[in-house]
Every structure is written in C-alpha cells, then in structure tokens.
Amino acid sequence: MESVSRIQVLTPAVVNKIAAGEVIERPASVIKELLENSLDALCNRIDVEVEDGGAELIRIVDDGEGILPEDLPLAVTSHATSKLRQADDLFCVQTMGFRGEALASIAEVSQFRLRSRARGESIGAELAVNCGQRSEIVPCGMAQGTQIEIRQLFCNTPVRRKFLKKAGTEFGYISEQFSRVALAVPRLQMSLTHNGKNVYRLPAGQQLLERLTLFYGSSVTDKLIPIETQHHNVRLWGYVGHPSLHKGTRKSQYLFLNGRYIQDRSLLHALNEAYRGLVMVGRHPVAFLFIEMPGDQVDVNVHPTKSEVRFRDGSLLFRMLLSTLRTKFLQSDLQSTLSIKPAGNPAAPTLQNKQERVERDLVSWAKQQLEHQVAQRVTTPPDAPSPMPAASSQPMEKSEAGSDGLGADAFLAAMENSGSNEPTTVPFAEQEPVASTASDMQSPSMPVPQPGEQRSGIPALQVDDCYIVLSTDQGLTVIDQHALHERVLYERFRNKILEERVEVQKLLVPLTLELSDEQIALLLDQQEMLQQMGFQVEEFGRGMLAVASHPVFLGHQVIEDVIRGFADKLGSSETVTRRDLLDETLHMMACKAAVKAGQKLTPDEIVSLLAQRDIVDDAHHCPHGRPTALVLSREELDRQFGRLGA
C-alpha cells in the first residue's frame, strides 16, 4: 500500500519561483515592477536600458529616495515592504506597489544586482543575488538613488526562457510598459535604450498632449478631443479620439487610476457605448482617460499584476464617462473637424484635396491603359486572337500597373461618370464581358455568364450604387457588389500568395508611416510574412516605418490602412497562428481593395463582376461570412403579392 502524501511547508526558493510565475511573465513584467518601485521612491528621473529584448540585460536607474544599507537584504525578501504597516492599509493604498514580492521573485530567477544610496548617506551599498543566493553587502560609490541590474532572466528556468519571443517582439512589450508610465506621469524625465540605441529621450515637465504626440504622432493627436468632469471627489479627464480615428483592436484605449494603468471592462464598455453609431462595428475608438479618486474608494488588491481593480461605486464612473462623452459629442461639430488643417501647417492639403488628387492620378493611369489597348486592337488582324498583357514570368518582380479585374475601359468610364445618380442597366444579350489581365485571370478571355445563370435579354440593374439586381432561373437575385468583389479578390490574392507569384510594385519614393515602437517591432519581426505578401518594410528612424514595395493588386491609397491593421492584429492579446494571421490579413486587403457600397459601376464593370462569380470557389459568401446574394424565388414573390391560388 502506497503511503499518503504528507503536507509540508514549501521552501522560500520554491515560493519565490511560484510568485515569479504569477508576476514575472516576461521581461516587460520586470520593467513594470521596477518602474513602479522607482515611482514609489519619488524619483524625478528614470533611465531604462535593455539588451536583446530584456533577456540578457535590464538596467534601471532612478534618482529617488534610495534604500538604507541595512535594508538591502529585506528588499529581496518575500513579503517585506515599506509601503504597508497593517491590514487596514490595503483599503487605502496610495503607492504603485505594496506586496513586497517583485524583487524577491526577480532575484530568484536571474543574476540580480542592487545598488542604492539613500538620502543623507555619503556612500552607497551593493547587494548581489545569483538565482536566489545572496552575497555580502559591499560599499560602492554612486549618486543618490537606486540602480537595479538584471542579467540572464529565467537562467535557472530554461522552459520559461525558451518560450520568450523574438527580441524585437519582447522589446515591443517593454516599450508599451515604458509608454504607460511615461503617459501616466508626464512630469518625469525618462529614457529608454535598446542594444545601445536611444529609443526615447523624454524631457521633464512635459504636458500630456506633448507626450502623446511623441508616442503616437500628430496624425493621432490632431484628432483628439479633450474631456473633463468632476463629481464630488472623483475627477475624470483626458482625451478621446474623433470618431474618424479608430483602430482594429482596443490597444489604443488607456485607462489610468491615480497614475496607475488599469483595465476595466465596465469603463471600456461605457467608452464603446458612447461611440455607438459613430464608429463602424468591429472598430474601436482611441482614448486616454485619467481617473483621480481617494484610495479608500477602490480596491487594487484583486489581481496579481494590479492591472484590474474593484471600484466601490463602479456604476457612478460608468455614468460619468458615458454622459460626459455623449454630451461632448453633442456639443461638437464632428463633421467639420474632419477638414481642419493640422496646427502649424497651413499648407497641409485637406482630405477632399487629397481625394481629388488621387482620382486625377487614377483617371490618368486608366487613360494610358485605354490608349494602350486601343493601339493593340488597331494593329491586330481581324482574325487574330485578342492580345492580352503578358503575365509576369518572375514572381515578386517589379510591375508597372495592376488590375482590379474590372477592366481599364470600364474603370475609366466609372471615374468619368461617378457624378451620375441614374441606375445602370446592362442587357446581357448585347454586352460582352471585359477581360482582365492574364496575370490576374489565367484564361484567354473573361468567362461569359452561362445561360442557366442569367436570362438572356433581361437587364442587370444597379440599385442605390450598392446592389445589383438581375433575373435568373431561380428568381430575382440581389447581389451585394462589395461582398462579391471582396470574395473574388480574396481568392485571387490567396492563390497568388500560395503559388508564390505575387507581382510587386516597387515605390520610387518609399511610403513612410508614423507608428509606435511596439508596432514597428512587431512588423519587423514579421518581415518574412510581409515579404511573402509583397510588402517590403524597414525601420526609418525613430517612430517611422518605410514601405518600399506593395503588391500590385492592392491600390496605393490603402497601403497605410493595411499595414496599420496588420500591426494592430499582431499587437492584440489574442493568440493566432501564422496561417490565421495571413488569412485575416488577406481578408482585410480584399475588403480595402474591393468596390465599395455607394460606388457607381459602368455596364462593363457589372458584366465583368457577374462573370467572375463562376471562377471563385465560394461565390455565396464574402471572406467575413456575409452572403453575397439573396434570391427571391417566383413562389416567394407570388406569396408576397398574394397571387398563390389565383
């Protein structure tokens, strides 16, 4: 008979390793804990230095109050702290940290060195801890403050170290933690260095809007709306984005409570409710919100990392945020703010001017393509097959122009007639489909609609520049032009990538995008995947990313949206596989490139779009699962008009 397992007290080393598993998830978690300690030390300056994404080295130096030499051993002892004295103190916490677990947990899984000089002391003291083994305290010369150096994080837990991501990705998480503290306390002078390269140098005494501009660029801060309200001793203030400023994830929604970054589902729900009807479904507004309230009205001791809190009156905050935002939106002319020029740049073009310039460029390109096709037809004998542009023989090769599968003649006509509001009718018995380029459609000509699909002589009608209505053997068919074109483009894009024959347009002048350091790091880590899709990206100075090429099938005007959407997806907390990430990016690219609801189509474009229903695997649903067409049968029509039994 086997003996019963006995209960025993765990050793301090095991306890600290367990605590490290809860609190220290990755190098960014170490940065968070150490930055909070520096804030509690009332410092005015913090310098952060990391190497290899924090796996090899993390060094943080502050000019705070420091630690007395005799207290250094207690600093790396579990549940030893200077921030609590009795249990009641937990209900009115005024500091960032209070449990006394972080340093002990970090020292247990790394090569840890703590140097500090307390206020009033003439010399500092140093304590080294190697994976939980302490050395003797020795004196050292240093300025007032504390310096903590951590090398070889998770060196004695190889499984944890193995599951760290690439250095660029880990540094992206570190940069996010750094930016949260920098935004919460803009008075601080802060710096961040990675592998010897200065990433941030933040001067002291900055205003919040200045910090936001530095981290997110003027393209974001120019669209921020200030808000502020107060109810008794609770103050809510900050900035929220114009409804035109939205993201694919909630990563740009920041909540700070008494200087601490938090996550609260109720407040985020209030934020999204305030934007209901102003932002598209699936998109999320941008917000930087600050809450100031007494410590006895909130419990911060409900989560291991203190990222979630429990409010005494959460419904009050919900109502405050919702009513403040709705009142602000009602008082603001949200439509007019779209055409406001950025401050300090009076020559900046408005959105309307940019759109007109893009349309002129597109019309010019379409005319050139039309002239080229006309010249080919003139020089071709009547009995010769129609010439087709040659497909690129080399994958990933530079191409001069792309095709959206609707034809240059039809595209030019659509651009010239875009102002007309009359419905377009197309007699199928009289029209011929317009062929796409051979690189996009691997067939001599565009497939002609089958007699069983459309009834000959019955016209197709575009309604409200959104739906195509036609008569088929099944009855009356209503097609969503955007959903159908999105499915066609998605399958075309996917096949090109799977067959490694993506034609690439190299840009003479690279497109530069203003992104956060975390987004840039995530994108650079996925350069191989981006290259596979036809995007060549590289870092272009601090906070800038250069796009040197893009796939031909994607219009130049949507490149920025696709890259930003890809970065948002990479930065989301969801765990996705490489295959799912690639597929979702293709969904987004097809959606951006497809014809839109409200876009008028020419007769040739309608014929071409309908013909392509036969060459896709699933013409019944768009990539997001929505139906592309609805069919009203003769029986259904008779039932609706009361003709059954007549």
Side-chain angles (χ1 to χ4, degrees), residues 405-406 424-428 431 433-434 441 446-450 453-455 458-462 467-472 477-481 484-485 488 601-616 619 628-629:
L406 297 181
T424 303
T425 59
V426 187
F428 275 94
Q431 295 290 341
V434 179
M441 308 296 298
M446 179 68 67
V448 178
Q450 298 299 321
E453 180 69 18
Q454 291 90 13
R455 295 185 177 182
I458 304 299
L461 176 70
Q462 186 185 26
Y467 300 104
I468 299 173
V469 182
L470 64 150
S471 177
T472 67
T477 301
V478 183
I479 297 174
D480 185 331
Q481 64 187 35
L484 177 58
H485 197 208
V488 171
L601 302 181
T602 65
D604 285 344
E605 288 180 326
I606 294 177
V607 172
S608 179
L609 181 58
L610 294 176
Q612 293 178 79
R613 298 176 69 194
D614 299 326
I615 63 174
V616 295
T628 61

Side-chain angles (χ1 to χ4, degrees), residues 394-424:
Q394 298 293 333
M396 306 300 287
E397 191 174 68
K398 179 178 179 180
S399 174
E400 294 300 326
S403 170
D404 62 358
L406 297 181
D409 305 55
F411 181 74
L412 177 59
M415 294 300 298
E416 292 178 344
N417 298 327
S418 59
S420 174
N421 293 322
E422 296 299 323
T424 303

Side-chain angles (χ1 to χ4, degrees), residues 271-538:
L271 174 65
N272 289 314
E273 279 296 308
Y275 279 86
R276 181 183 292 273
L278 300 176
V279 175
M280 293 185 298
V281 176
R283 306 294 293 180
H284 305 281
V286 175
F288 305 92
L289 301 174
F290 295 78
I291 303 171
E292 298 174 2
M293 64 192 318
D296 58 358
Q297 295 188 20
V298 59
D299 183 4
V300 298
N301 189 30
V302 297
H303 193 272
T305 62
K306 303 179 288 290
S307 61
E308 296 181 9
V309 299
R310 183 181 293 113
F311 295 103
R312 175 176 294 182
D313 190 357
S315 60
L316 171 64
L317 290 172
F318 183 94
R319 294 193 303 269
M320 283 182 62
L321 178 57
L322 184 59
S323 63
T324 300
L325 291 181
R326 285 183 173 175
T327 302
K328 188 69 175 182
F329 292 157
L330 289 174
Q331 295 174 348
S332 304
D333 186 0
L334 298 179
Q335 186 65 30
S336 65
T337 53
L338 287 174
S339 60
I340 295 178
K341 298 180 180 179
N345 187 12
T350 63
L351 294 177
Q352 182 178 0
N353 292 338
K354 291 182 179 179
Q355 182 178 1
E356 292 175 352
R357 186 173 67 251
V358 170
E359 291 181 356
R360 288 196 301 269
D361 293 342
L362 291 174
V363 171
S364 176
W365 171 83
K367 287 181 178 179
Q368 293 175 3
Q369 298 299 309
L370 180 59
E371 293 172 357
H372 178 67
Q373 292 187 9
V374 171
Q376 285 184 325
R377 292 171 182 170
V378 171
T379 57
T380 303
D383 56 346
S386 299
M388 296 292 294
S392 175
S393 59
Q394 298 293 333
M396 306 300 287
E397 191 174 68
K398 179 178 179 180
S399 174
E400 294 300 326
S403 170
D404 62 358
L406 297 181
D409 305 55
F411 181 74
L412 177 59
M415 294 300 298
E416 292 178 344
N417 298 327
S418 59
S420 174
N421 293 322
E422 296 299 323
T424 303
T425 59
V426 187
F428 275 94
E430 303 175 3
Q431 295 290 341
E432 294 182 359
V434 179
S436 298
T437 62
S439 61
D440 288 335
M441 308 296 298
Q442 299 297 315
S443 60
S445 62
M446 179 68 67
V448 178
Q450 298 299 321
E453 180 69 18
Q454 291 90 13
R455 295 185 177 182
S456 179
I458 304 299
L461 176 70
Q462 186 185 26
V463 179
D464 289 337
D465 295 341
C466 183
Y467 300 104
I468 299 173
V469 182
L470 64 150
S471 177
T472 67
D473 289 341
Q474 290 76 34
L476 189 66
T477 301
V478 183
I479 297 174
D480 185 331
Q481 64 187 35
H482 172 75
L484 177 58
H485 197 208
E486 187 179 5
R487 164 56 67 175
V488 171
L489 293 180
Y490 165 74
E491 294 198 8
R492 184 186 305 166
F493 296 172
R494 184 186 60 185
N495 292 336
K496 284 178 176 292
I497 290 177
L498 292 177
E499 297 170 9
E500 297 184 353
R501 56 182 183 88
V502 180
E503 294 91 356
V504 173
Q505 174 68 60
K506 294 184 178 179
L507 301 177
L508 184 62
V509 178
L511 174 67
T512 56
L513 305 179
E514 213 172 3
L515 301 170
S516 68
D517 289 279
E518 180 186 10
Q519 290 176 314
I520 292 175
L522 292 172
L523 289 170
L524 293 179
D525 271 351
Q526 297 295 334
Q527 276 182 306
E528 181 182 351
M529 183 185 295
L530 289 170
Q531 187 80 18
Q532 183 183 359
M533 292 187 292
F535 293 101
Q536 181 182 348
V537 299
E538 56 187 16

